[in-house]
Amino acid sequence: MEHDGARVDPVDRTQEVLAMTDETREISTDEVCVLIPTLDEAATIGDVIDGFREQGYTNVVVVDGGSDDETQAIARDRGADVVVQSGDGKGQAVREALEYVTVPYVLMVDGDGTYDPADADRMVEPLSRGYDHVIGNRFADMDDDAMRALNGFGNRLINRAFRFIHGASYEDILSGYRAFTVDSFERLSLDSDGFTIETELAVECVKHGIDTTVVPISYSARPDESETNLHPITDGGTIILALYTLAKTNNPLFYFGSLGTAGILSGGVIAGYVLWQWIQYQQGHEIMALVSAAAILLGVQLIMFGVLSDMLVTLHREQRRRLEQIARDSRDRDRDRDDD
């Protein structure tokens, strides 16, 4: 399933209710929880909270990973509800924080001051049109010094890898600015504890058929007094590995097919060497020949397993879509009866 990024223009606010068309439902800012995972963000968290409150989003939850600075105290002083996470990592923080959300919509944003609270309406608006998950595209309006060259190259490489492996174009899967419905979040199977949470969210949206769209946002440089917790090389490698590993259940043909192809190629290389040794020197390598045959056979089996797994995944998705459609039709009939 492939999703095309859709541009969503800013909307006007009228009495703290987002402007809608006749085909949408109104979403009040009171129905939106601004969720901010933090770790040592004392330099920026106050301005971030103030920015969202100025936009009318007063329901702010800060889930903190045990900061050593004044992050928690500043957040409380600015009127946010502060939750100290029981574990470690951004992914664990997001999953735990959802237990404290009592409204139907969540606007998730980093607390480092790089995202603009003025884009909040733009992020939430697609939810009113039936989308379940919204990703803010940082590359649409990024400050020149907002991202190092190495980080920018890594981000684009990861996005291309995601498009190739998982078959969807979300423009910026590592964006920390997200809007989603609580119902759709509860449908996802999230295990990530660290910075791979955004990657896992994107993969799970494809896997579960979550209606997802992309909107352009602005992205600013991190303030000088704020230090990043991201390590480009190690975290980038972890994200690439996560993309590949998550293909096991979302795109098994690619996952097992790639392993099978590697097995066949390695077996073929060994077989070529054994054949060359026999022709050139009349010297046999029986053990290497057996290893070559085993590698090729394993590779073929993995490819066949990938084909069968892909068929099962496709069937499962089709059954799930039908069940969800039956559930929606049932809710619509119940709503019609209630209206009558």
Side-chain angles (χ1 to χ4, degrees):
M1 182 178 69
E2 184 155 340
H3 301 269
D4 296 325
R7 182 178 181 87
V8 180
D9 296 325
V11 295
D12 297 329
R13 185 189 304 280
T14 303
Q15 296 180 350
E16 292 191 350
V17 175
L18 304 179
M20 305 297 170
T21 66
D22 292 337
E23 299 179 355
T24 63
R25 69 171 298 274
E26 292 184 350
I27 298 179
S28 167
T29 55
D30 292 334
E31 296 180 275
V32 180
C33 172
V34 178
L35 175 60
I36 312 176
T38 59
L39 179 62
D40 297 330
E41 301 288 4
T44 54
I45 188 61
D47 291 337
V48 172
I49 295 173
D50 288 346
F52 281 103
R53 294 179 71 88
E54 289 172 2
Q55 298 297 319
Y57 295 86
T58 57
N59 185 356
V60 180
V61 173
V62 171
V63 53
D64 187 72
S67 295
D68 294 325
D69 58 15
E70 298 299 316
T71 299
Q72 297 180 26
I74 295 173
R76 291 190 180 94
D77 290 342
R78 302 303 173 92
D81 294 326
V82 177
V83 177
V84 180
Q85 69 181 99
S86 59
D88 297 315
K90 183 178 180 180
Q92 193 276 337
V94 173
R95 294 198 306 273
E96 183 173 352
L98 262 292
E99 299 175 5
Y100 298 89
V101 174
T102 58
V103 292
Y105 304 101
V106 172
L107 184 61
M108 187 177 78
V109 64
D110 293 340
D112 56 8
T114 55
Y115 296 100
D116 191 353
D119 288 327
D121 286 357
R122 178 180 293 188
M123 291 292 298
V124 173
E125 194 272 342
L127 300 179
S128 71
R129 294 188 282 112
Y131 286 103
D132 292 315
H133 196 97
V134 183
I135 301 173
N137 179 15
R138 298 170 294 174
F139 296 101
D141 183 16
M142 181 184 295
D143 289 353
D144 294 336
D145 56 346
M147 189 177 293
R148 296 176 182 175
L150 178 61
N151 290 7
F153 172 78
N155 270 265
R156 289 178 172 84
L157 177 64
I158 289 170
N159 280 292
R160 290 191 179 96
F162 175 80
R163 189 181 305 116
F164 177 74
I165 296 174
H166 297 281
S169 179
Y170 288 164
E171 306 296 334
D172 187 12
I173 67 165
L174 301 185
S175 173
Y177 212 172
R178 305 286 181 114
F180 50 84
T181 64
V182 174
D183 287 342
S184 68
F185 187 89
E186 292 175 346
R187 292 166 54 190
L188 308 181
S189 300
L190 301 173
D191 299 315
S192 172
D193 287 334
F195 283 107
T196 55
I197 181 63
E198 286 89 358
T199 303
E200 193 174 29
L201 279 170
V203 172
E204 285 291 303
C205 284
V206 177
K207 179 180 176 180
H208 293 277
I210 303 297
D211 290 329
T212 304
T213 191
V214 182
V215 301
I217 59 171
S218 58
Y219 187 68
S220 304
R222 176 185 280 264
D224 294 335
E225 62 272 17
S226 176
E227 296 183 3
T228 180
N229 297 310
L230 181 67
H231 304 284
I233 302 299
T234 56
D235 288 325
T238 301
I239 290 170
I240 289 289
L241 180 61
L243 276 177
Y244 183 76
T245 304
L246 290 170
K248 181 164 51 179
T249 55
N250 184 54
N251 188 358
L253 181 58
F254 171 83
Y255 180 81
F256 292 104
S258 61
L259 293 176
T261 301
I264 292 173
L265 290 177
S266 60
V269 170
I270 298 174
Y273 174 77
V274 171
L275 181 61
W276 179 76
Q277 287 283 306
W278 173 258
I279 295 175
Q280 190 75 13
Y281 306 107
Q282 286 75 48
Q283 183 177 2
H285 295 278
E286 291 82 3
I287 294 179
M288 293 184 66
L290 288 174
V291 171
S292 170
I296 294 174
L297 180 60
L298 178 61
V300 172
Q301 290 177 330
L302 285 171
I303 292 176
M304 293 177 61
F305 185 75
V307 172
L308 294 174
S309 298
D310 190 69
M311 294 173 60
L312 291 174
V313 168
T314 302
L315 178 61
H316 173 71
R317 286 174 177 166
E318 181 62 28
Q319 290 177 333
R320 188 182 64 242
R321 280 194 290 267
R322 290 180 179 178
L323 290 174
E324 290 175 351
Q325 184 61 47
I326 292 173
R328 284 194 294 268
D329 292 342
S330 177
R331 286 196 298 268
D332 291 341
R333 286 194 297 268
D334 293 339
R335 190 180 302 112
D336 291 339
R337 283 196 296 267
D338 292 339
D339 292 340
D340 294 340

PDB file of all heavy atoms in Angstrom, residues 92-125:
ATOM      1  N   GLN A  92       9.701   3.744  24.875  1.00  0.00           N
ATOM      2  CA  GLN A  92       9.034   3.326  26.107  1.00  0.00           C
ATOM      3  C   GLN A  92       8.254   4.488  26.713  1.00  0.00           C
ATOM      4  O   GLN A  92       7.157   4.303  27.249  1.00  0.00           O
ATOM      5  CB  GLN A  92      10.069   2.789  27.098  1.00  0.00           C
ATOM      6  CG  GLN A  92       9.476   2.031  28.282  1.00  0.00           C
ATOM      7  CD  GLN A  92       9.033   2.939  29.421  1.00  0.00           C
ATOM      8  OE1 GLN A  92       9.520   4.069  29.543  1.00  0.00           O
ATOM      9  NE2 GLN A  92       8.111   2.453  30.243  1.00  0.00           N
ATOM     10  N   ALA A  93       8.802   5.700  26.608  1.00  0.00           N
ATOM     11  CA  ALA A  93       8.119   6.875  27.145  1.00  0.00           C
ATOM     12  C   ALA A  93       6.796   7.119  26.447  1.00  0.00           C
ATOM     13  O   ALA A  93       5.778   7.409  27.094  1.00  0.00           O
ATOM     14  CB  ALA A  93       9.026   8.107  26.997  1.00  0.00           C
ATOM     15  N   VAL A  94       6.771   7.007  25.140  1.00  0.00           N
ATOM     16  CA  VAL A  94       5.534   7.243  24.380  1.00  0.00           C
ATOM     17  C   VAL A  94       4.487   6.205  24.727  1.00  0.00           C
ATOM     18  O   VAL A  94       3.315   6.529  24.962  1.00  0.00           O
ATOM     19  CB  VAL A  94       5.833   7.237  22.866  1.00  0.00           C
ATOM     20  CG1 VAL A  94       4.541   7.312  22.067  1.00  0.00           C
ATOM     21  CG2 VAL A  94       6.744   8.411  22.503  1.00  0.00           C
ATOM     22  N   ARG A  95       4.893   4.937  24.765  1.00  0.00           N
ATOM     23  CA  ARG A  95       3.919   3.886  25.085  1.00  0.00           C
ATOM     24  C   ARG A  95       3.340   4.074  26.483  1.00  0.00           C
ATOM     25  O   ARG A  95       2.129   3.919  26.693  1.00  0.00           O
ATOM     26  CB  ARG A  95       4.581   2.505  24.977  1.00  0.00           C
ATOM     27  CG  ARG A  95       5.005   2.119  23.577  1.00  0.00           C
ATOM     28  CD  ARG A  95       5.230   0.611  23.479  1.00  0.00           C
ATOM     29  NE  ARG A  95       6.167   0.141  24.481  1.00  0.00           N
ATOM     30  CZ  ARG A  95       7.483   0.113  24.343  1.00  0.00           C
ATOM     31  NH1 ARG A  95       8.032   0.579  23.237  1.00  0.00           N
ATOM     32  NH2 ARG A  95       8.268  -0.359  25.299  1.00  0.00           N
ATOM     33  N   GLU A  96       4.181   4.411  27.432  1.00  0.00           N
ATOM     34  CA  GLU A  96       3.704   4.588  28.805  1.00  0.00           C
ATOM     35  C   GLU A  96       2.828   5.820  28.925  1.00  0.00           C
ATOM     36  O   GLU A  96       1.822   5.816  29.644  1.00  0.00           O
ATOM     37  CB  GLU A  96       4.896   4.700  29.756  1.00  0.00           C
ATOM     38  CG  GLU A  96       4.496   4.809  31.222  1.00  0.00           C
ATOM     39  CD  GLU A  96       5.686   4.740  32.155  1.00  0.00           C
ATOM     40  OE1 GLU A  96       6.809   4.463  31.685  1.00  0.00           O
ATOM     41  OE2 GLU A  96       5.494   4.953  33.366  1.00  0.00           O
ATOM     42  N   ALA A  97       3.176   6.888  28.222  1.00  0.00           N
ATOM     43  CA  ALA A  97       2.426   8.134  28.332  1.00  0.00           C
ATOM     44  C   ALA A  97       0.998   7.997  27.818  1.00  0.00           C
ATOM     45  O   ALA A  97       0.091   8.674  28.313  1.00  0.00           O
ATOM     46  CB  ALA A  97       3.145   9.244  27.570  1.00  0.00           C
ATOM     47  N   LEU A  98       0.803   7.116  26.841  1.00  0.00           N
ATOM     48  CA  LEU A  98      -0.547   6.953  26.286  1.00  0.00           C
ATOM     49  C   LEU A  98      -1.531   6.447  27.328  1.00  0.00           C
ATOM     50  O   LEU A  98      -2.749   6.620  27.176  1.00  0.00           O
ATOM     51  CB  LEU A  98      -0.511   6.002  25.083  1.00  0.00           C
ATOM     52  CG  LEU A  98      -0.482   6.663  23.698  1.00  0.00           C
ATOM     53  CD1 LEU A  98      -1.796   7.373  23.404  1.00  0.00           C
ATOM     54  CD2 LEU A  98       0.671   7.636  23.559  1.00  0.00           C
ATOM     55  N   GLU A  99      -1.024   5.849  28.402  1.00  0.00           N
ATOM     56  CA  GLU A  99      -1.916   5.394  29.462  1.00  0.00           C
ATOM     57  C   GLU A  99      -2.535   6.575  30.209  1.00  0.00           C
ATOM     58  O   GLU A  99      -3.560   6.413  30.886  1.00  0.00           O
ATOM     59  CB  GLU A  99      -1.135   4.509  30.445  1.00  0.00           C
ATOM     60  CG  GLU A  99      -0.536   3.263  29.817  1.00  0.00           C
ATOM     61  CD  GLU A  99       0.319   2.472  30.798  1.00  0.00           C
ATOM     62  OE1 GLU A  99       0.343   2.889  31.985  1.00  0.00           O
ATOM     63  OE2 GLU A  99       0.931   1.467  30.400  1.00  0.00           O
ATOM     64  N   TYR A 100      -1.933   7.744  30.117  1.00  0.00           N
ATOM     65  CA  TYR A 100      -2.419   8.923  30.829  1.00  0.00           C
ATOM     66  C   TYR A 100      -3.239   9.845  29.928  1.00  0.00           C
ATOM     67  O   TYR A 100      -3.728  10.872  30.395  1.00  0.00           O
ATOM     68  CB  TYR A 100      -1.233   9.715  31.404  1.00  0.00           C
ATOM     69  CG  TYR A 100      -0.426   8.932  32.419  1.00  0.00           C
ATOM     70  CD1 TYR A 100       0.633   8.129  32.021  1.00  0.00           C
ATOM     71  CD2 TYR A 100      -0.734   8.988  33.777  1.00  0.00           C
ATOM     72  CE1 TYR A 100       1.375   7.402  32.939  1.00  0.00           C
ATOM     73  CE2 TYR A 100       0.006   8.269  34.704  1.00  0.00           C
ATOM     74  CZ  TYR A 100       1.059   7.476  34.281  1.00  0.00           C
ATOM     75  OH  TYR A 100       1.790   6.753  35.191  1.00  0.00           O
ATOM     76  N   VAL A 101      -3.381   9.482  28.668  1.00  0.00           N
ATOM     77  CA  VAL A 101      -4.135  10.319  27.728  1.00  0.00           C
ATOM     78  C   VAL A 101      -5.601   9.941  27.797  1.00  0.00           C
ATOM     79  O   VAL A 101      -5.971   8.776  27.635  1.00  0.00           O
ATOM     80  CB  VAL A 101      -3.596  10.137  26.293  1.00  0.00           C
ATOM     81  CG1 VAL A 101      -4.468  10.899  25.299  1.00  0.00           C
ATOM     82  CG2 VAL A 101      -2.156  10.618  26.206  1.00  0.00           C
ATOM     83  N   THR A 102      -6.443  10.925  28.023  1.00  0.00           N
ATOM     84  CA  THR A 102      -7.884  10.684  28.178  1.00  0.00           C
ATOM     85  C   THR A 102      -8.704  11.312  27.062  1.00  0.00           C
ATOM     86  O   THR A 102      -9.930  11.334  27.135  1.00  0.00           O
ATOM     87  CB  THR A 102      -8.370  11.241  29.529  1.00  0.00           C
ATOM     88  OG1 THR A 102      -8.083  12.643  29.595  1.00  0.00           O
ATOM     89  CG2 THR A 102      -7.682  10.510  30.684  1.00  0.00           C
ATOM     90  N   VAL A 103      -8.039  11.844  26.042  1.00  0.00           N
ATOM     91  CA  VAL A 103      -8.724  12.459  24.908  1.00  0.00           C
ATOM     92  C   VAL A 103      -8.459  11.612  23.662  1.00  0.00           C
ATOM     93  O   VAL A 103      -7.543  10.786  23.656  1.00  0.00           O
ATOM     94  CB  VAL A 103      -8.240  13.912  24.700  1.00  0.00           C
ATOM     95  CG1 VAL A 103      -8.691  14.796  25.850  1.00  0.00           C
ATOM     96  CG2 VAL A 103      -6.731  13.976  24.534  1.00  0.00           C
ATOM     97  N   PRO A 104      -9.239  11.802  22.590  1.00  0.00           N
ATOM     98  CA  PRO A 104      -9.111  10.905  21.435  1.00  0.00           C
ATOM     99  C   PRO A 104      -7.942  11.186  20.502  1.00  0.00           C
ATOM    100  O   PRO A 104      -7.628  10.358  19.649  1.00  0.00           O
ATOM    101  CB  PRO A 104     -10.444  11.098  20.699  1.00  0.00           C
ATOM    102  CG  PRO A 104     -10.930  12.446  21.107  1.00  0.00           C
ATOM    103  CD  PRO A 104     -10.456  12.649  22.501  1.00  0.00           C
ATOM    104  N   TYR A 105      -7.291  12.356  20.634  1.00  0.00           N
ATOM    105  CA  TYR A 105      -6.244  12.714  19.685  1.00  0.00           C
ATOM    106  C   TYR A 105      -4.955  13.093  20.416  1.00  0.00           C
ATOM    107  O   TYR A 105      -4.995  13.683  21.507  1.00  0.00           O
ATOM    108  CB  TYR A 105      -6.686  13.889  18.806  1.00  0.00           C
ATOM    109  CG  TYR A 105      -7.982  13.634  18.075  1.00  0.00           C
ATOM    110  CD1 TYR A 105      -9.181  14.172  18.548  1.00  0.00           C
ATOM    111  CD2 TYR A 105      -8.020  12.847  16.930  1.00  0.00           C
ATOM    112  CE1 TYR A 105     -10.373  13.938  17.889  1.00  0.00           C
ATOM    113  CE2 TYR A 105      -9.215  12.598  16.269  1.00  0.00           C
ATOM    114  CZ  TYR A 105     -10.382  13.144  16.752  1.00  0.00           C
ATOM    115  OH  TYR A 105     -11.573  12.912  16.104  1.00  0.00           O
ATOM    116  N   VAL A 106      -3.832  12.761  19.788  1.00  0.00           N
ATOM    117  CA  VAL A 106      -2.522  13.050  20.365  1.00  0.00           C
ATOM    118  C   VAL A 106      -1.679  13.799  19.338  1.00  0.00           C
ATOM    119  O   VAL A 106      -1.645  13.431  18.157  1.00  0.00           O
ATOM    120  CB  VAL A 106      -1.785  11.763  20.785  1.00  0.00           C
ATOM    121  CG1 VAL A 106      -0.349  12.062  21.203  1.00  0.00           C
ATOM    122  CG2 VAL A 106      -2.529  11.079  21.925  1.00  0.00           C
ATOM    123  N   LEU A 107      -1.024  14.848  19.802  1.00  0.00           N
ATOM    124  CA  LEU A 107      -0.057  15.580  18.992  1.00  0.00           C
ATOM    125  C   LEU A 107       1.297  15.384  19.658  1.00  0.00           C
ATOM    126  O   LEU A 107       1.562  15.945  20.727  1.00  0.00           O
ATOM    127  CB  LEU A 107      -0.422  17.066  18.924  1.00  0.00           C
ATOM    128  CG  LEU A 107       0.446  17.964  18.039  1.00  0.00           C
ATOM    129  CD1 LEU A 107       0.396  17.507  16.580  1.00  0.00           C
ATOM    130  CD2 LEU A 107      -0.019  19.415  18.146  1.00  0.00           C
ATOM    131  N   MET A 108       2.143  14.568  19.071  1.00  0.00           N
ATOM    132  CA  MET A 108       3.434  14.229  19.663  1.00  0.00           C
ATOM    133  C   MET A 108       4.528  15.103  19.064  1.00  0.00           C
ATOM    134  O   MET A 108       4.607  15.260  17.841  1.00  0.00           O
ATOM    135  CB  MET A 108       3.754  12.754  19.426  1.00  0.00           C
ATOM    136  CG  MET A 108       5.006  12.273  20.144  1.00  0.00           C
ATOM    137  SD  MET A 108       5.309  10.501  19.898  1.00  0.00           S
ATOM    138  CE  MET A 108       5.993  10.507  18.243  1.00  0.00           C
ATOM    139  N   VAL A 109       5.374  15.652  19.922  1.00  0.00           N
ATOM    140  CA  VAL A 109       6.417  16.560  19.457  1.00  0.00           C
ATOM    141  C   VAL A 109       7.620  16.453  20.392  1.00  0.00           C
ATOM    142  O   VAL A 109       7.478  16.161  21.584  1.00  0.00           O
ATOM    143  CB  VAL A 109       5.885  18.010  19.407  1.00  0.00           C
ATOM    144  CG1 VAL A 109       5.534  18.509  20.795  1.00  0.00           C
ATOM    145  CG2 VAL A 109       6.868  18.951  18.719  1.00  0.00           C
ATOM    146  N   ASP A 110       8.808  16.660  19.845  1.00  0.00           N
ATOM    147  CA  ASP A 110      10.010  16.673  20.675  1.00  0.00           C
ATOM    148  C   ASP A 110      10.072  17.963  21.484  1.00  0.00           C
ATOM    149  O   ASP A 110       9.534  18.996  21.080  1.00  0.00           O
ATOM    150  CB  ASP A 110      11.261  16.554  19.805  1.00  0.00           C
ATOM    151  CG  ASP A 110      11.360  15.192  19.130  1.00  0.00           C
ATOM    152  OD1 ASP A 110      10.704  14.254  19.614  1.00  0.00           O
ATOM    153  OD2 ASP A 110      12.088  15.084  18.121  1.00  0.00           O
ATOM    154  N   GLY A 111      10.775  17.911  22.605  1.00  0.00           N
ATOM    155  CA  GLY A 111      10.864  19.075  23.479  1.00  0.00           C
ATOM    156  C   GLY A 111      12.109  19.912  23.273  1.00  0.00           C
ATOM    157  O   GLY A 111      12.471  20.707  24.147  1.00  0.00           O
ATOM    158  N   ASP A 112      12.779  19.760  22.117  1.00  0.00           N
ATOM    159  CA  ASP A 112      14.050  20.443  21.902  1.00  0.00           C
ATOM    160  C   ASP A 112      13.921  21.790  21.205  1.00  0.00           C
ATOM    161  O   ASP A 112      14.929  22.432  20.906  1.00  0.00           O
ATOM    162  CB  ASP A 112      15.003  19.552  21.106  1.00  0.00           C
ATOM    163  CG  ASP A 112      14.405  19.110  19.770  1.00  0.00           C
ATOM    164  OD1 ASP A 112      13.333  19.614  19.389  1.00  0.00           O
ATOM    165  OD2 ASP A 112      15.031  18.247  19.109  1.00  0.00           O
ATOM    166  N   GLY A 113      12.693  22.232  20.920  1.00  0.00           N
ATOM    167  CA  GLY A 113      12.485  23.533  20.318  1.00  0.00           C
ATOM    168  C   GLY A 113      12.719  23.597  18.819  1.00  0.00           C
ATOM    169  O   GLY A 113      12.722  24.692  18.244  1.00  0.00           O
ATOM    170  N   THR A 114      12.888  22.469  18.162  1.00  0.00           N
ATOM    171  CA  THR A 114      13.127  22.470  16.720  1.00  0.00           C
ATOM    172  C   THR A 114      11.829  22.496  15.913  1.00  0.00           C
ATOM    173  O   THR A 114      11.839  22.862  14.735  1.00  0.00           O
ATOM    174  CB  THR A 114      13.946  21.235  16.300  1.00  0.00           C
ATOM    175  OG1 THR A 114      13.274  20.049  16.747  1.00  0.00           O
ATOM    176  CG2 THR A 114      15.337  21.282  16.924  1.00  0.00           C
ATOM    177  N   TYR A 115      10.719  22.110  16.537  1.00  0.00           N
ATOM    178  CA  TYR A 115       9.432  22.094  15.849  1.00  0.00           C
ATOM    179  C   TYR A 115       8.614  23.312  16.259  1.00  0.00           C
ATOM    180  O   TYR A 115       8.685  23.773  17.401  1.00  0.00           O
ATOM    181  CB  TYR A 115       8.662  20.812  16.162  1.00  0.00           C
ATOM    182  CG  TYR A 115       9.346  19.565  15.668  1.00  0.00           C
ATOM    183  CD1 TYR A 115      10.089  18.762  16.537  1.00  0.00           C
ATOM    184  CD2 TYR A 115       9.262  19.176  14.336  1.00  0.00           C
ATOM    185  CE1 TYR A 115      10.730  17.618  16.092  1.00  0.00           C
ATOM    186  CE2 TYR A 115       9.901  18.031  13.879  1.00  0.00           C
ATOM    187  CZ  TYR A 115      10.632  17.263  14.757  1.00  0.00           C
ATOM    188  OH  TYR A 115      11.265  16.129  14.308  1.00  0.00           O
ATOM    189  N   ASP A 116       7.814  23.821  15.329  1.00  0.00           N
ATOM    190  CA  ASP A 116       7.063  25.050  15.535  1.00  0.00           C
ATOM    191  C   ASP A 116       5.645  24.742  16.027  1.00  0.00           C
ATOM    192  O   ASP A 116       4.876  24.084  15.312  1.00  0.00           O
ATOM    193  CB  ASP A 116       6.997  25.840  14.216  1.00  0.00           C
ATOM    194  CG  ASP A 116       6.465  27.246  14.415  1.00  0.00           C
ATOM    195  OD1 ASP A 116       6.017  27.570  15.533  1.00  0.00           O
ATOM    196  OD2 ASP A 116       6.487  28.024  13.437  1.00  0.00           O
ATOM    197  N   PRO A 117       5.278  25.226  17.213  1.00  0.00           N
ATOM    198  CA  PRO A 117       3.898  25.022  17.684  1.00  0.00           C
ATOM    199  C   PRO A 117       2.853  25.628  16.751  1.00  0.00           C
ATOM    200  O   PRO A 117       1.698  25.192  16.753  1.00  0.00           O
ATOM    201  CB  PRO A 117       3.893  25.722  19.042  1.00  0.00           C
ATOM    202  CG  PRO A 117       5.314  25.679  19.507  1.00  0.00           C
ATOM    203  CD  PRO A 117       6.123  25.846  18.255  1.00  0.00           C
ATOM    204  N   ALA A 118       3.248  26.620  15.938  1.00  0.00           N
ATOM    205  CA  ALA A 118       2.305  27.221  14.998  1.00  0.00           C
ATOM    206  C   ALA A 118       1.837  26.230  13.941  1.00  0.00           C
ATOM    207  O   ALA A 118       0.831  26.473  13.261  1.00  0.00           O
ATOM    208  CB  ALA A 118       2.935  28.446  14.336  1.00  0.00           C
ATOM    209  N   ASP A 119       2.555  25.115  13.776  1.00  0.00           N
ATOM    210  CA  ASP A 119       2.151  24.079  12.820  1.00  0.00           C
ATOM    211  C   ASP A 119       1.154  23.093  13.424  1.00  0.00           C
ATOM    212  O   ASP A 119       0.765  22.135  12.751  1.00  0.00           O
ATOM    213  CB  ASP A 119       3.374  23.302  12.333  1.00  0.00           C
ATOM    214  CG  ASP A 119       4.259  24.123  11.399  1.00  0.00           C
ATOM    215  OD1 ASP A 119       3.714  24.951  10.653  1.00  0.00           O
ATOM    216  OD2 ASP A 119       5.488  23.929  11.422  1.00  0.00           O
ATOM    217  N   ALA A 120       0.745  23.306  14.652  1.00  0.00           N
ATOM    218  CA  ALA A 120      -0.120  22.334  15.335  1.00  0.00           C
ATOM    219  C   ALA A 120      -1.446  22.147  14.597  1.00  0.00           C
ATOM    220  O   ALA A 120      -1.894  21.009  14.395  1.00  0.00           O
ATOM    221  CB  ALA A 120      -0.376  22.776  16.770  1.00  0.00           C
ATOM    222  N   ASP A 121      -2.085  23.237  14.204  1.00  0.00           N
ATOM    223  CA  ASP A 121      -3.358  23.126  13.487  1.00  0.00           C
ATOM    224  C   ASP A 121      -3.190  22.353  12.181  1.00  0.00           C
ATOM    225  O   ASP A 121      -4.040  21.543  11.797  1.00  0.00           O
ATOM    226  CB  ASP A 121      -3.918  24.516  13.184  1.00  0.00           C
ATOM    227  CG  ASP A 121      -4.487  25.192  14.417  1.00  0.00           C
ATOM    228  OD1 ASP A 121      -4.501  24.561  15.488  1.00  0.00           O
ATOM    229  OD2 ASP A 121      -4.909  26.368  14.308  1.00  0.00           O
ATOM    230  N   ARG A 122      -2.081  22.621  11.502  1.00  0.00           N
ATOM    231  CA  ARG A 122      -1.806  21.929  10.241  1.00  0.00           C
ATOM    232  C   ARG A 122      -1.643  20.435  10.474  1.00  0.00           C
ATOM    233  O   ARG A 122      -2.039  19.613   9.632  1.00  0.00           O
ATOM    234  CB  ARG A 122      -0.537  22.517   9.612  1.00  0.00           C
ATOM    235  CG  ARG A 122      -0.128  21.851   8.314  1.00  0.00           C
ATOM    236  CD  ARG A 122       1.133  22.473   7.744  1.00  0.00           C
ATOM    237  NE  ARG A 122       0.883  23.844   7.310  1.00  0.00           N
ATOM    238  CZ  ARG A 122       1.773  24.571   6.642  1.00  0.00           C
ATOM    239  NH1 ARG A 122       2.964  24.060   6.363  1.00  0.00           N
ATOM    240  NH2 ARG A 122       1.492  25.796   6.273  1.00  0.00           N
ATOM    241  N   MET A 123      -1.059  20.065  11.597  1.00  0.00           N
ATOM    242  CA  MET A 123      -0.867  18.652  11.901  1.00  0.00           C
ATOM    243  C   MET A 123      -2.176  17.961  12.264  1.00  0.00           C
ATOM    244  O   MET A 123      -2.416  16.812  11.890  1.00  0.00           O
ATOM    245  CB  MET A 123       0.131  18.513  13.055  1.00  0.00           C
ATOM    246  CG  MET A 123       1.556  18.896  12.721  1.00  0.00           C
ATOM    247  SD  MET A 123       2.329  17.753  11.561  1.00  0.00           S
ATOM    248  CE  MET A 123       2.295  16.233  12.501  1.00  0.00           C
ATOM    249  N   VAL A 124      -3.026  18.654  12.996  1.00  0.00           N
ATOM    250  CA  VAL A 124      -4.264  18.043  13.492  1.00  0.00           C
ATOM    251  C   VAL A 124      -5.349  17.993  12.420  1.00  0.00           C
ATOM    252  O   VAL A 124      -6.180  17.076  12.411  1.00  0.00           O
ATOM    253  CB  VAL A 124      -4.762  18.818  14.734  1.00  0.00           C
ATOM    254  CG1 VAL A 124      -6.139  18.324  15.171  1.00  0.00           C
ATOM    255  CG2 VAL A 124      -3.772  18.680  15.878  1.00  0.00           C
ATOM    256  N   GLU A 125      -5.345  18.946  11.500  1.00  0.00           N
ATOM    257  CA  GLU A 125      -6.436  19.062  10.525  1.00  0.00           C
ATOM    258  C   GLU A 125      -6.741  17.791   9.744  1.00  0.00           C
ATOM    259  O   GLU A 125      -7.912  17.428   9.569  1.00  0.00           O
ATOM    260  CB  GLU A 125      -6.139  20.227   9.566  1.00  0.00           C
ATOM    261  CG  GLU A 125      -7.337  20.663   8.723  1.00  0.00           C
ATOM    262  CD  GLU A 125      -7.438  19.887   7.433  1.00  0.00           C
ATOM    263  OE1 GLU A 125      -6.425  19.266   7.020  1.00  0.00           O
ATOM    264  OE2 GLU A 125      -8.538  19.868   6.846  1.00  0.00           O
TER     265      GLU A 125
END
